[in-house]
Structure formats: structure tokens, C-alpha cells
């Protein structure tokens, strides 16, 4: 370690900690009268929002929440959730954003493992609570979240046994004065659980410092370097990624800091999403490909002007077919990349001075790349022996990373934490190449790369090719065991309404690509099955583990 000269310290000097409450404070400085909207049910400005955040902190204090305690939330994307992002964390408690799409048994495990003390739960999820309530070991009380109070101001939610109050009624009884304290910036702020292929869900966790730095990095990338062009305080933000999923990718923290108008859609329904998009003037969203596909295929989408809408797609690869369909509707689409363990932003589409003027058709290649490396993130490629792979746009290696906002590990799971940070780098499990100008090009997940005839074939490349064929709505490609070749690719396809695709027709088109030299013969799927829906995980990603299992059984029984 080198010897350096440290700056002199003045005992009286104060260096404020990097806390989430500091992000909240900015919302009152510049545009305090901008609105936060929940569906067509509720709206407020940032002055009222700040008061409600403090009322929430007082309510939780009355319910016995102390610094270090864990507060769980089960809700749709809402203003209430946003209030918890700031109110729970700024009082020094830990916010557990519960994945409501997990099975009741998995939700039970995560709530007990996180040691939740108080639970805020939307009435839609009460059946889940009924199924697991008697097995919860640390929960002391509940607060019910009801939308009925917004449609009927005199309505009061009926409180089930064990509930302290309804959220709105509880806030009304509390003072809007609360002095959020200073504390160590490494204080635990949030936790949530990510599912893997084996074992129980893994608890990741983040400190105030990590989330503050993530917000700064995101702000620098999207506002400074224009990773999403012209993103600014004038944008109207609406998440279409669940707030339980990696803090809705960190954008609620950024939008609040900027006092941008925010719109929260509640439960995702194509009609309400498009209605809010138009009536509230939404200009910036993020979602997984499944949601974008649903919106692009909606008949309403073809009848309205979507040219002001910028959408960041992540969670799964943005195929060229989906990108072209969105661009044809005027939607400006971009790709983002990250994972639960990285808070999540690692890359975003960023077009530089030479790429930005290109015709939109030529930009598709760039917009569907994994993205350019985000500011303050270090990404390398590593081979199986732990050696770094050159960034030449061709050489493949596992994506490993470091940064100011990466999780330290998995809660109470030292072995998997050690594996995650093997060799001092966070291992993603993704295989990629990187260009000299910092474009990351994900080839596949390590477990999804298809090893056939001595060649490594990317399932994402095949999906990209098939997605561009007329009539293909969605596609998923997986490798299945083959006695001769080791593995061979196989495809599931959902066709668009009004088309009558056939296996022979798809094969013929792909054969033509092979004969013209545009496609390697290894990429031709052995089996092509048409389905009405492609299996997804709890956060909307294509579930390739399930597809491999079900497809293998289908093919063997055929």
C-alpha cells in the first residue's frame, strides 16, 4: 500500500453523512409544486409528500419501530410505496420490499428471514397473509393499505385481527413534524430477496451510502451523459417495473431528488398504463420486455402518439424485433443492464456524437446492445482461470464488476456471499464481450449458453434473429441435451394475432439466412414449438429453467 498525505482534520468541521434523507430534502428546493400521482385516485405536490413522509415516520414510531427494525411492504406501485422508500429508511429502520409474486411459502421465508416487525400490506394481498400468518415469527402488527379510501372519502377499511390501522387514517392522526436524525451512512437501509435456481431466496441489502451513490451515478449517466437523451427535471416519470424489484431500478430516488413529476400506476393493466401515459404526459419509464410487448401489441397503442415516451428495457434482453416494433410506434427504446446485487445499474444505452445522428434503423444495433458501462462502475471480463479477457469486442468472459453501490453479500449466507465476491470482484454469471469504447455485449447467462458441437452458441443471438421475423410476438431459445452434439438449441414462439406461422415456414426462412451466409448452421433450432405464453419468473423475466424442463418433457413425449 502506498503512503499518502492525508488532509488535516479540523475538530469543529462537519462532514455530513450520505443519507437518503438528503435526497428527500432536495425535492423542496427547486420544484416543490410538481405532482406525484397515483392512478386516477390521488395526487399531491412535494410539499404534501414531505409532510406525509414525516407523518409515516411518526406513525411507525407509535407502532414501536426503532432504528434497526425491519418494516415490510406488500403493495402495488404507489405513492405509499414511495413514502416508505424515504420515511422508513430516513428514521434508521430497514425497508423490506416484499416480492408479492413469490409463492406464499417463499414470502413466508423472506419475511421471517428478514425479521419483519411491522407490515404494510395492500388489501389485495390479504389472502397471502391469511395463508402464512400463523407461521410468521417476528411480526408484531400490520397496517392495511386500501384504495377504497380514495374513491370514498368517508370509507374506512375493515381491520382484520392483528391490524393497527388503515394507512391514510393512521397518517391523519400524526404530526407532519419529524426531525430525521443523522447516523452512519453505512447504516442498513433496504433489503429484498432474489430467487435463484436452487435453495431459498437470497437476501441482498444496501446501505444509505450505496443508494445515495447509486442515485448520483444514475443522475450523472442519464442527465449528464444523456444515456437516455434529454432526461431532465422536465420529464414525467412512471415506473412499469415493480417497486419491490431493486428499488424500481433506483429511479424513484432520482425522480424525487430532482422533484420531477411522478406517476404511479398501481397494478399493471394495459388500459390504465396507456391512459396515464397520455393524460399525465409521461415521458420516461422502464420495464421488462414482457410489459413492453404487451403495450406494443395493444390496439390502443397504434391509435395514439407515443413519440415523447422514452423506455428503458432491462431484466431480459431487448430483441431487435421488439425494438423495431416499439420504434415504429414512435417509442424511444433503450437497453439497461444490472442485477439485484448491483442496486442495479451497471450499463445503459448511451449514443455518442458519432452514433446519435445515425438513421433510426441503424441505431437499432446500438439500442439493443447491453449498454455502455455506467459512470463509477468498473466492469471486466474474466475467464475460468481468473484471468482478465481483452476488451476487443470479440473475446468472451464472465462479467465481473466493482462499484460504489454493489451489495456486500447475501444476508446470513456467508458461503454464497464469498462465491459472489470471489477474488475481490462481484461475479454476475453473465458471459459477454466488450468493445474498446465500453459497449458491453452480453452473449448469455453462463447457464444459458448452448454448447453444441464444440461451439458456444448464444441463445440471445438466436432470439434476436427469430424476433425479427414477421408475425413473431415473443421468442425464447434454450439448449437441451443431445447425444451427438452435447446440446442443441430449441425455440418457443408466441405469434402475433392475425398470423398463421408454421414450423416449416420459420425453418425455411432461417435456412435462407444460412445459405446467404447471415446465419451459422449451429443456430438453427432442432425443435420449434408454438405456445400462447412463454413462462416468466416473478419479476417478468423469461424463465429458462422452467422452459428447459417443460420443453424436454414435451419433446420426449412427442
Amino acid at each position: 500500500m502506498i503512503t499518502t498525505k492525508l488532509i488535516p482534520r479540523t475538530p469543529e468541521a462537519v462532514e455530513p453523512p450520505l443519507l437518503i434523507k438528503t435526497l428527500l430534502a432536495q425535492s423542496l428546493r427547486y420544484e416543490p409544486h410538481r405532482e406525484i400521482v397515483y392512478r386516477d385516485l390521488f395526487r399531491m405536490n412535494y410539499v404534501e409528500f414531505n409532510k406525509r413522509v414525516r407523518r409515516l415516520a411518526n406513525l411507525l414510531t407509535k407502532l414501536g419501530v426503532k432504528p434497526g427494525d425491519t418494516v415490510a411492504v406488500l403493495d402495488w406501485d404507489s405513492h405509499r410505496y414511495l413514502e416508505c422508500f424515504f420515511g422508513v429508511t430516513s428514521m434508521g429502520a430497514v425497508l423490506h420490499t416484499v416480492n408479492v409474486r413469490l409463492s406464499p411459502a417463499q414470502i413466508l421465508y423472506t419475511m421471517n428471514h428478514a425479521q419483519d416487525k411491522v407490515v404494510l400490506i395492500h388489501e389485495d394481498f390479504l389472502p397471502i397473509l391469511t395463508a402464512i400468518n400463523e407461521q410468521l415469527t417476528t411480526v408484531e402488527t400490520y397496517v392495511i393499505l386500501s384504495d377504497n379510501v380514495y374513491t370514498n372519502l368517508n370509507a374506512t377499511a375493515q381491520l382484520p385481527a392483528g391490524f393497527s390501522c388503515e394507512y391514510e387514517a393512521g397518517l391523519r392522526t400524526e404530526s407532519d413534524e419529524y426531525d430525521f436524525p443523522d447516523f452512519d451512512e453505512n447504516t442498513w437501509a433496504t433489503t429484498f430477496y432474489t430467487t435463484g435456481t436452487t435453495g431459498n431466496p437470497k437476501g441482498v441489502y444496501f446501505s444509505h451510502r450505496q443508494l445515495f451513490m447509486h442515485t448520483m451515478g444514475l443522475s450523472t449517466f442519464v442527465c449528464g451523459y444523456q444515456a437516455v437523451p434529454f432526461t431532465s427535471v422536465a420529464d414525467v416519470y412512471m415506473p412499469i417495473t415493480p417497486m419491490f424489484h431493486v428499488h424500481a431500478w433506483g429511479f424513484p430516488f432520482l425522480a424525487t431528488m430532482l422533484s420531477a413529476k411522478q406517476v404511479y400506476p398501481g397494478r399493471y393493466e394495459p388500459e390504465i398504463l396507456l391512459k396515464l401515459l397520455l393524460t399525465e404526459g409521461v415521458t420516461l419509464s422502464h420495464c421488462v420486455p414482457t410489459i413492453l410487448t404487451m403495450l406494443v401489441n395493444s390496439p390502443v397503442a397504434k391509435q395514439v402518439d407515443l413519440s415523447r415516451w422514452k423506455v428503458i428495457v432491462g431484466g431480459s434482453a431487448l430483441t431487435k424485433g421488439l425494438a423495431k416494433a416499439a420504434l415504429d410506434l414512435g417509442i424511444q427504446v433503450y437497453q439497461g443492464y444490472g442485477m439485484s446485487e448491483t442496486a442495479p445499474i451497471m450499463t445503459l444505452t448511451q449514443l455518442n456524437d458519432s452514433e446519435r445522428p445515425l438513421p433510426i434503423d441503424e441505431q437499432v444495433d446500438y439500442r439493443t446492445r447491453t449498454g455502455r458501462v455506467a459512470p463509477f462502475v468498473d466492469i471486466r471480463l474474466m475467464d475460468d482461470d481468473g484471468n482478465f479477457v481483452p476488451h476487443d469486442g470479440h473475446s468472451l468472459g464472465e462479467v465481473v464488476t466493482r462499484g460504489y453501490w454493489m451489495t456486500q453479500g447475501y444476508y446470513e449466507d456467508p458461503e454464497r456471499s464469498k462465491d459472489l465476491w470471489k477474488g475481490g470482484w462481484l461475479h454476475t454469471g453473465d458471459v459477454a464481450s466488450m468493445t474498446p469504447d465500453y459497449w458491453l455485449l452480453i452473449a448469455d447467462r453462463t447457464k444459458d449458453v448452448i454448447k453444441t458441437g464444440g461451439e458456444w452458441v448464444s441463445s440471445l443471438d438466436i432470439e434476436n434473429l427469430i424476433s425479427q421475423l414477421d408475425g413473431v410476438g415473443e421468442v425464447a431459445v434454450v439448449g437441451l441435451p443431445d447425444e451427438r452434439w452435447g446440446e442443441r438449441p430449441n425455440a418457443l414462439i408466441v405469434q402475433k394475432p392475425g398470423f398463421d406461422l408454421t414450423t416449416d415456414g420459420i425453418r425455411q426462412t432461417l435456412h435462407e439466412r444460412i445459405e446467404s451466409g447471415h446465419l451459422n448452421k449451429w443456430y438453427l433450432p432442432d425443435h420449434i414449438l408454438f405456445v400462447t405464453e412463454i413462462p416468466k419468473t416473478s419479476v417478468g423475466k423469461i424463465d429458462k429453467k422452467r422452459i428447459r424442463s417443460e420443453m424436454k418433457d414435451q419433446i420426449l413425449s412427442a
Side-chain angles (χ1 to χ4, degrees):
M1 182 178 294
I2 65 171
T3 302
T4 59
K5 186 176 183 179
L6 300 180
I7 63 169
R9 306 292 298 185
T10 301
E12 293 80 10
V14 175
E15 190 172 287
L18 305 179
L19 300 177
I20 290 172
K21 72 168 186 174
T22 312
L23 303 176
L24 175 66
Q26 311 312 305
S27 66
L28 289 174
R29 290 191 176 185
Y30 308 110
E31 299 289 350
H33 297 292
R34 285 209 173 112
E35 288 187 310
I36 297 171
V37 179
Y38 175 52
R39 293 175 77 90
D40 54 357
L41 299 175
F42 183 86
R43 60 181 62 231
M44 62 182 162
N45 62 25
Y46 277 96
V47 176
E48 181 61 22
F49 173 71
N50 274 262
K51 291 179 179 179
R52 286 171 61 90
V53 168
R54 285 168 168 78
R55 290 180 188 273
L56 174 59
N58 280 314
L59 174 61
L60 294 173
T61 300
K62 179 187 288 186
L63 297 178
V65 175
K66 301 183 297 296
D69 288 338
T70 303
V71 176
V73 178
L74 295 84
D75 193 12
W76 305 112
D77 288 4
S78 73
H79 63 297
R80 297 172 298 233
Y81 224 138
L82 184 66
E83 289 159 5
C84 290
F85 270 34
F86 292 92
V88 174
T89 58
S90 294
M91 63 185 294
V94 179
L95 175 65
H96 176 196
T97 56
V98 179
N99 183 344
V100 295
R101 294 176 183 165
L102 296 178
S103 69
Q106 288 175 314
I107 291 175
L108 172 66
Y109 171 82
T110 66
M111 293 179 70
N112 282 338
H113 193 258
Q115 301 175 57
D116 296 338
K117 183 174 183 177
V118 173
V119 178
L120 283 63
I121 181 170
H122 192 283
E123 56 196 355
D124 287 354
F125 304 121
L126 289 178
I128 297 174
L129 183 60
T130 300
I132 66 175
N133 185 40
E134 294 184 359
Q135 300 173 72
L136 291 169
T137 57
T138 61
V139 175
E140 296 181 1
T141 191
Y142 304 89
V143 175
I144 196 166
L145 311 175
S146 172
D147 288 350
N148 291 329
V149 297
Y150 305 120
T151 55
N152 180 0
L153 295 178
N154 296 317
T156 55
Q158 185 172 357
L159 296 180
F163 279 70
S164 294
C165 63
E166 181 272 323
Y167 186 85
E168 291 294 337
L171 291 193
R172 284 196 296 269
T173 65
E174 300 302 326
S175 167
D176 59 19
E177 296 289 332
Y178 189 101
D179 187 16
F180 289 121
D182 280 343
F183 41 74
D184 192 308
E185 63 190 29
N186 294 301
T187 295
W188 191 349
T190 66
T191 190
F192 54 86
Y193 286 74
T194 179
T195 55
T197 55
T198 58
N200 289 316
K202 305 184 292 291
V204 296
Y205 47 90
F206 296 93
S207 68
H208 281 254
R209 173 184 169 82
Q210 288 171 320
L211 296 179
F212 186 98
M213 291 303 298
H214 184 271
T215 306
M216 295 301 103
L218 189 57
S219 174
T220 301
F221 209 9
V222 300
C223 300
Y225 291 110
Q226 295 190 336
V228 182
F230 312 118
T231 298
S232 71
V233 294
D235 271 305
V236 178
Y237 165 67
M238 181 173 74
I240 319 180
T241 303
M243 297 179 79
F244 65 71
H245 187 220
V246 208
H247 322 109
W249 300 358
F251 278 89
F253 290 118
L254 174 61
T256 301
M257 182 189 78
L258 297 175
S259 56
K261 181 178 177 180
Q262 301 185 61
V263 180
Y264 287 88
R267 187 171 187 166
Y268 297 158
E269 300 163 334
E271 294 77 14
I272 190 68
L273 290 175
L274 287 168
K275 177 183 177 181
L276 291 171
L277 183 67
L278 298 173
T279 60
E280 300 297 339
V282 174
T283 61
L284 176 65
S285 298
H286 48 79
C287 65
V288 295
T290 307
I291 296 292
L292 184 60
T293 299
M294 176 181 71
L295 292 170
V296 165
N297 291 334
S298 169
V300 179
K302 298 174 175 60
Q303 303 170 15
V304 296
D305 180 9
L306 299 175
S307 61
R308 296 180 65 242
W309 194 28
K310 296 167 288 191
V311 181
I312 302 169
V313 177
S316 299
L318 171 63
T319 64
K320 291 182 178 180
L322 179 56
K324 288 179 178 177
L327 290 167
D328 286 344
L329 292 173
I331 303 169
Q332 299 299 305
V333 287
Y334 307 88
Q335 178 110 262
Y337 168 64
M339 54 193 294
S340 296
E341 292 83 348
T342 65
I345 298 296
M346 286 195 283
T347 73
L348 281 174
T349 300
Q350 193 270 337
L351 303 177
N352 63 22
D353 288 346
S354 64
E355 297 153 352
R356 208 173 294 120
L358 293 173
I360 204 70
D361 286 346
E362 295 181 36
Q363 288 186 20
V364 169
D365 176 60
Y366 291 99
R367 290 172 184 252
T368 55
R369 292 181 179 185
T370 310
R372 269 198 168 100
V373 179
F376 317 124
V377 173
D378 190 3
I379 289 181
R380 307 284 184 87
L381 305 176
M382 188 177 285
D383 65 20
D384 292 340
D385 297 321
N387 302 310
F388 291 126
V389 172
H391 297 170
D392 55 15
H394 304 288
S395 302
L396 294 174
E398 183 190 6
V399 178
V400 296
T401 185
R402 289 174 177 169
Y404 294 104
W405 48 78
M406 312 302 171
T407 189
Q408 293 291 300
Y410 300 117
Y411 181 47
E412 294 186 340
D413 195 341
E415 287 304 311
R416 286 200 281 191
S417 298
K418 185 178 178 180
D419 288 342
L420 179 69
W421 278 100
K422 184 172 57 181
W425 290 84
L426 189 150
H427 289 252
T428 67
D430 291 318
V431 175
S433 61
M434 192 188 296
T435 67
D437 54 349
Y438 296 96
W439 280 104
L440 187 68
L441 310 169
I442 295 288
D444 229 326
R445 294 287 293 169
T446 53
K447 60 180 177 290
D448 292 334
V449 172
I450 302 168
K451 306 171 186 66
T452 178
E455 299 285 338
W456 279 35
V457 172
S458 167
S459 66
L460 302 183
D461 285 349
I462 305 175
E463 289 168 359
N464 243 332
L465 290 165
I466 296 177
S467 74
Q468 298 176 71
L469 304 182
D470 287 342
V472 174
E474 280 190 282
V475 58
V477 173
V478 297
L480 295 179
D482 182 89
E483 289 185 4
R484 183 179 181 185
W485 303 111
E487 282 186 323
R488 289 291 299 141
N490 297 266
L492 285 184
I493 293 176
V494 176
Q495 61 180 327
K496 293 178 181 178
F499 285 84
D500 187 19
L501 301 179
T502 64
T503 299
D504 289 342
I506 297 288
R507 287 185 178 282
Q508 178 60 35
T509 303
L510 294 178
H511 270 298
E512 291 171 2
R513 300 286 180 90
I514 292 172
E515 291 170 0
S516 65
H518 290 95
L519 178 64
N520 189 302
K521 65 179 181 180
W522 297 110
Y523 282 57
L524 183 65
D526 274 12
H527 298 89
I528 298 173
L529 303 180
F530 291 97
V531 294
T532 57
E533 186 178 5
I534 290 176
K536 308 292 195 312
T537 68
S538 63
V539 293
K541 298 180 183 179
I542 293 175
D543 190 343
K544 293 199 172 182
K545 177 187 176 185
R546 180 177 160 196
I547 292 172
R548 277 190 288 268
S549 175
E550 294 180 356
M551 203 171 188
K552 183 178 178 181
D553 291 342
Q554 275 186 276
I555 291 171
L556 288 175
S557 61

